[in-house]
Amino acid sequence: MHLARFPRLFLAHLPTPLERLDRLSAALGGPEIWIKRDDCTGMSTGGNKTRKLEFLMAEAQAEGADVVMTQGATQSNHARQTAAFAAKLGIDCHLLLENRTGSKNPDYNHNGNVLLDHLHGASSETRPGGVDMHAEMEAVAERYRAEGRRVYVIPGGGSNPTGALGYVDCAYELLGQANARGLVIDHLVTATGSAGTQAGLIAGLKAINARIPLLGFGVRAPKPKQEENVYQLALKTAEKLGCPGVVEREDVVADTEYVGEGYGIPREDTIEAIRLFAELEGILLDPVYSGKGAAGLIDYCRKGYFKEGERIVFLHTGGSAALFGYTQSLEADHDVID
Ligand SMILES: *Cc1c(COP(=O)(O)O)cnc(C)c1O
């Protein structure tokens, strides 16, 4: 449980603020909603990948890597943040971007995170949706190795036990903040995708016996698959931490009812959640992850799943850079006075 034993770069802006959302709580009329601002972690607009990359990039550096590779969807926040870390460390970065949504929209394909990837000096190549991105990345890594390069390959979303350590640390940080102000957290809520965030949080919360239920709102996979992915990674993360056996299957809960048509395709309630946070709290969500997580949170409040007086913490995982890749979905019905 002693995280200082793992190699780590200290580049994130930590601790991230824990704030009460007064206007959103009032509008929803039930529980007290708090937000953990992991959209403010720093490194190219911030987001949850910063905490993971502190551990992953320290490992890359320790192994003497001269190029890091990773993969993700076209508007991957993880790809953008990896590019920023590589720039900071003076390591080359090569990205494989999958057009998972099939979009031909120029903003989706060139603006937002893609623009930032290239600003940070990363090179990239694209793949059509549906290909085995892990295999594609291995093939390209082999190409680099054949040229004599030392490649460090980061899995999609930075989700392996090393990356998940970043969210073990976040669990400790959040508990420290809540304890310091006498805040009893009844539920912790977050978006869940490649699983490292939820798995790290579970391993961390269980290792210190926090007894805070964690709910993940899925963005892609159906519930059984998402929960199994999180569970397997949480087990491995707990083992890496030196506390095997703390994670149980029932600790892992994902609700995938807010995914809609598929990954990266916002629904009406995703857009509504983005608007509510922006208009009531001055906070930017994103159309792929935090917008869907917040849509789930809002619906749970409206349906009374979270009770009056309960304290809910929404972990904001970032992603606002992707808003600029989704101008079409966001501009569609806003009020413009010409
Ligand atoms: C990657 C990402 C997530 C999902 O986190 P995982 O660890 O992949 O489950 C959530 N929100 C944003 C903004 C992300 O970029």
Side-chain angles (χ1 to χ4, degrees):
M1 270 209 296
H2 195 11
L3 279 179
R5 296 204 176 98
F6 299 97
R8 176 176 178 183
L9 300 165
F10 290 88
L11 294 173
H13 299 169
L14 302 180
T16 57
L18 176 63
E19 299 167 340
R20 224 171 82 152
L21 298 182
D22 292 328
R23 275 170 44 83
L24 183 69
S25 301
L28 296 174
E32 210 176 279
I33 301 169
W34 290 68
I35 192 164
K36 174 71 172 153
R37 298 293 303 271
D38 268 22
D39 55 320
C40 301
T41 50
M43 296 310 283
S44 189
T45 78
N48 64 340
K49 304 313 180 304
T50 303
R51 289 191 194 264
K52 299 176 181 187
L53 287 163
E54 280 199 324
F55 289 93
L56 291 162
M57 293 300 282
E59 212 172 79
Q61 212 175 30
E63 289 180 14
D66 59 13
V67 54
V68 297
M69 282 192 58
T70 198
Q71 55 96 357
T74 306
Q75 283 293 334
S76 166
N77 301 299
H78 168 64
R80 177 246 313 161
Q81 296 211 269
T82 303
F85 267 82
K88 177 78 181 161
L89 300 181
I91 299 174
D92 287 345
C93 178
H94 188 66
L95 305 169
L96 255 63
L97 301 178
E98 176 195 3
N99 192 349
R100 207 176 282 165
T101 65
S103 171
K104 292 190 173 66
N105 181 280
D107 278 340
Y108 183 79
N109 285 289
H110 303 287
N111 202 342
N113 282 300
V114 182
L115 177 81
L116 300 183
D117 294 342
H118 297 145
L119 262 184
H120 291 303
S123 54
S124 66
E125 47 190 291
T126 57
R127 294 288 184 275
V131 302
D132 179 347
M133 288 299 283
H134 182 73
E136 293 292 319
M137 187 159 66
E138 264 317 307
V140 178
E142 239 356 275
R143 204 174 76 200
Y144 274 103
R145 288 185 197 109
E147 291 167 8
R149 304 293 300 270
R150 295 178 69 95
V151 192
Y152 183 82
V153 176
I154 301 177
S159 285
N160 60 17
T162 301
L165 290 177
Y167 274 87
V168 171
D169 186 48
C170 179
Y172 298 167
E173 184 182 296
L174 176 62
L175 256 289
Q177 289 171 315
N179 292 341
R181 62 181 81 176
L183 173 71
V184 176
I185 301 171
D186 294 299
H187 296 275
L188 177 59
V189 171
T190 188
T192 182
S194 66
T197 301
Q198 194 177 359
L201 287 172
I202 289 172
L205 291 170
K206 291 300 300 247
I208 50 175
N209 193 25
R211 292 189 291 129
I212 298 173
L214 170 62
L215 170 63
F217 283 111
V219 299
R220 187 181 188 188
K223 180 181 172 79
K225 181 164 183 228
Q226 185 63 25
E227 290 188 344
E228 188 58 22
N229 289 349
V230 173
Y231 179 51
Q232 291 306 327
L233 184 53
L235 289 177
K236 285 187 207 138
T237 306
E239 202 166 302
K240 189 176 177 87
L241 272 181
C243 33
V246 296
V247 174
E248 290 156 292
R249 177 61 185 82
E250 57 265 32
D251 299 326
V252 181
V253 182
D255 184 333
T256 57
E257 291 299 312
Y258 302 87
V259 176
E261 252 183 85
Y263 175 90
I265 304 173
R267 307 202 305 180
E268 224 168 273
D269 60 350
T270 321
I271 303 294
E272 190 212 356
I274 293 172
R275 288 198 195 293
L276 275 179
F277 274 68
E279 292 176 6
L280 296 176
E281 299 290 348
I283 290 174
L284 297 175
L285 301 177
D286 82 277
V288 183
Y289 298 96
S290 57
K292 287 187 179 174
L297 167 75
I298 291 164
D299 196 41
Y300 270 49
C301 290
R302 286 177 177 157
K303 288 187 169 147
Y305 295 154
F306 295 140
K307 305 279 176 286
E308 176 126 25
E310 282 191 323
R311 272 87 169 255
I312 317 297
V313 174
F314 177 66
L315 173 72
H316 187 347
T317 44
S320 62
L323 288 170
F324 306 97
Y326 281 86
T327 45
Q328 237 181 5
S329 323
L330 293 159
E331 288 281 315
D333 63 344
H334 85 155
D335 305 322
V336 190
I337 300 167
D338 291 314

